[in-house]
Every structure is written in structure tokens, then in C-alpha cells.
């Protein structure tokens, strides 16, 4: 009976130790990755959208995979529709301040985060998948966030 007690305590302590190190590892990843993605991708990308330089935003900040799914013409139309529907983009910011590292459908590592899409008429949230391509963070996919409480059309952000 004592053995079962000691095994139970050992398992409990093992789970606690693994949980603690997982938490520390996850926190460290987010503390390091999130500010880099925000400063190197989200801020300059949103600045180009605000300035109306959709060509440069598309060319410099989206992955090859993204471009294979969405032509520039489609992307440009979506940006114009976004402007008409949401109003002028004022800023993009991180909703939670974290990006979660995960594998996508193609078994490549991505970072997924939720972005505040603050506009002059309607503000919203969208989810972005970020991939590293040629050593640079780029947008791999965007879609409406489940954290958004307004009815909205699916659009390319």
C-alpha cells in the first residue's frame, strides 16, 4: 500500500515538474517571438496598408504559399473592400500579445496569433498564421477571428 502512495506522489511531482518547464518554455517563446513578429511583420505591414501601398505589402510580407492561393488582383480588391466596409485602418495590434507555435496542414511550423484590426468605422479581430520564409516572418494565412463578436464577411486582411 505504501508503494502505491509513493508512486502516486512521484507521478504527481513528475507532472508538476513537466508542467512547470512547459509553462516556462512557452512563456519564454512568447516573450521572444511575439515582439519580433509584431515589430518585423505586423507594424510594417499595417503601415503599408494604412498608406495604401498594397503591392509592397503583398510582395514583401506574404509567403509564396499565400501568393499561390491569392493573386495580387484578389488581394488588392479585398483591401479596397476592407477599406469600404471597415473604414480607414488606424492600427493593427496584438490582442493577447502571444503567438502560439504549431504545425500547419503542410507540417510546417507556424505562429498563430490574433490581431486587433482597429478602423475608423468598425473594428474587428483577425487571426494570422505567420511562417518563416527565407529567414523572414511573413503572413501565411489570415481569417476572421473567433474572438470577434461582430458579424463580418470573410476577407483577406
Amino acid at each position: 500500500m505504501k508503494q502505491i502512495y509513493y508512486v502516486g506522489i512521484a507521478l504527481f511531482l513528475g507532472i508538476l515538474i513537466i508542467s512547470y518547464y512547459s509553462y516556462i518554455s512557452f512563456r519564454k517563446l512568447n516573450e521572444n517571438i511575439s515582439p519580433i513578429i509584431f515589430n518585423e511583420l505586423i507594424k510594417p505591414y499595417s503601415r503599408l496598408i494604412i498608406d495604401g501601398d498594397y503591392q509592397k505589402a503583398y510582395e514583401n510580407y506574404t509567403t509564396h504559399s499565400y501568393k499561390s492561393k491569392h493573386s495580387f488582383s484578389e488581394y488588392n480588391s479585398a483591401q479596397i473592400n476592407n477599406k469600404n466596409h471597415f473604414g480607414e485602418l488606424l492600427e493593427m495590434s496584438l490582442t493577447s500579445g502571444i503567438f502560439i507555435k504549431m504545425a500547419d496542414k503542410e507540417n510546417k511550423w507556424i505562429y498563430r496569433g490574433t490581431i486587433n484590426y482597429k478602423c475608423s468605422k468598425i473594428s474587428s479581430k483577425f487571426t494570422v498564421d505567420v511562417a518563416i520564409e527565407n529567414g523572414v516572418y511573413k503572413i501565411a494565412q489570415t481569417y476572421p477571428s473567433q474572438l470577434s463578436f461582430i458579424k463580418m464577411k470573410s476577407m483577406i486582411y
Side-chain angles (χ1 to χ4, degrees):
M1 191 67 168
K2 247 184 180 181
Q3 276 184 316
I4 293 173
Y5 176 74
Y6 289 129
V7 168
I9 288 178
L11 283 173
F12 178 72
L13 289 174
I15 291 170
L16 275 179
I17 290 168
I18 290 169
S19 297
Y20 174 76
Y21 282 108
S22 294
Y23 168 76
I24 295 299
S25 172
F26 181 74
R27 194 177 91 203
K28 190 177 251 185
L29 172 73
N30 283 319
E31 286 174 354
N32 295 334
I33 296 297
S34 293
I36 293 170
I37 292 173
F38 182 69
N39 289 319
E40 292 181 9
L41 174 64
I42 304 302
K43 274 174 83 173
Y45 176 78
S46 63
R47 175 55 37 209
L48 291 171
I49 300 301
I50 290 168
D51 293 343
D53 196 346
Y54 306 140
Q55 180 76 41
K56 194 171 183 181
Y58 178 82
E59 291 301 327
N60 294 347
Y61 294 102
T62 61
T63 62
H64 293 297
S65 172
Y66 182 96
K67 291 176 187 131
S68 71
K69 295 174 190 165
H70 308 288
S71 68
F72 174 70
S73 176
E74 178 186 10
Y75 176 86
N76 191 55
S77 293
Q79 293 301 341
I80 292 166
N81 289 339
N82 285 345
K83 193 173 184 179
N84 291 336
H85 181 74
F86 296 103
E88 296 285 332
L89 175 62
L90 303 174
E91 74 173 346
M92 289 184 195
S93 61
L94 300 178
T95 299
S96 65
I98 64 169
F99 280 87
I100 298 170
K101 186 175 183 179
M102 56 196 328
D104 70 357
K105 292 176 188 173
E106 299 167 359
N107 293 320
K108 295 179 185 170
W109 287 107
I110 59 161
Y111 300 92
R112 180 169 289 163
T114 303
I115 304 296
N116 293 320
Y117 191 69
K118 186 176 178 186
C119 298
S120 60
K121 287 199 242 177
I122 303 169
S123 291
S124 185
K125 296 180 187 321
F126 71 91
T127 300
V128 62
D129 289 348
V130 175
I132 298 174
E133 189 173 87
N134 300 322
V136 179
Y137 292 102
K138 293 190 175 188
I139 296 170
Q141 183 177 350
T142 62
Y143 39 94
S145 173
Q146 294 175 349
L147 298 175
S148 190
F149 297 109
I150 62 168
K151 258 189 172 174
M152 53 189 274
K153 301 173 198 167
S154 179
M155 297 186 181
I156 300 171
Y157 296 94

